[in-house]
Amino acid sequence: MYLRFDTCLEFPDLARRLCPEMVEGSLDWDTENVYEWMYINLPHITHSLNVSREHGWADIQDEIIDQYENDQEGLKQLVQPGSVYVIGWDRTTDRYVDNLPDSLPSLFADQLGIDVSVFSGRFNVDEADGEPIRVVRPNPDRQITM
């Protein structure tokens, strides 16, 4: 099982919304040419969550980046990140975790205020997702504002 959703939040902000008790500097987050990823540990889950997406910077031509040399906020407005994917990952054994808690899609939807698609099977970057088994929408009564 895996989750997919769309957000323009930067990963540190996304992590803070999901883990308000997170200590600054403790986020395990990295990036490379095309992708960015982070590991999130939630108190009620025994394994980590691997959260990843195409960061969108690879789609911006160098000439355009050069034009925004003195306008970093303007440059950030041009970045269109891809969908965010969430899978379970046991970092001790370095293995995929097939099942995510049933409450997880609601937690993401409510904390981020977005729709979360739930897919069966394993995420494969080389294959299309197909149809989700369900879409979880945020419940305004459970949302936490930050």
Side-chain angles (χ1 to χ4, degrees), residues 105-121:
S106 294
L107 173 76
F108 275 75
D110 294 344
Q111 296 295 94
L112 301 175
I114 53 160
D115 291 353
V116 175
S117 297
V118 181
F119 295 87
S120 63

Side-chain angles (χ1 to χ4, degrees), residues 5 7 16 20 25 33 41 43 60 64 88 93 108 119 126 130 134 136:
F5 56 87
T7 181
R16 277 190 287 280
N33 294 348
N41 295 307
I60 301 176
I64 299 209
T93 62
F108 275 75
F119 295 87
D126 294 324
R134 72 181 189 274
V136 178

Side-chain angles (χ1 to χ4, degrees), residues 36-136:
E36 66 181 319
W37 62 92
M38 65 181 167
Y39 291 98
I40 296 178
N41 295 307
L42 299 175
H44 64 286
I45 300 176
T46 59
H47 56 272
S48 295
L49 298 174
N50 176 307
V51 181
S52 62
R53 72 174 166 199
E54 289 188 30
H55 49 58
W57 286 94
D59 298 330
I60 301 176
Q61 300 295 322
D62 289 342
E63 299 80 38
I64 299 209
I65 291 174
D66 291 344
Q67 290 174 9
Y68 284 84
E69 181 179 349
N70 297 318
D71 183 9
Q72 290 302 305
E73 289 305 311
L75 181 59
K76 285 182 183 180
Q77 297 300 314
L78 298 176
V79 176
Q80 298 296 314
S83 294
V84 176
Y85 288 88
V86 179
I87 63 170
W89 194 259
D90 185 328
R91 295 183 75 187
T92 304
T93 62
D94 206 25
R95 292 185 182 237
Y96 189 92
V97 175
D98 286 310
N99 296 315
L100 299 175
D102 289 336
S103 61
L104 198 61
S106 294
L107 173 76
F108 275 75
D110 294 344
Q111 296 295 94
L112 301 175
I114 53 160
D115 291 353
V116 175
S117 297
V118 181
F119 295 87
S120 63
R122 291 188 174 193
F123 170 69
N124 184 336
V125 72
D126 294 324
E127 295 179 16
D129 292 322
E131 290 299 312
I133 55 175
R134 72 181 189 274
V135 176
V136 178

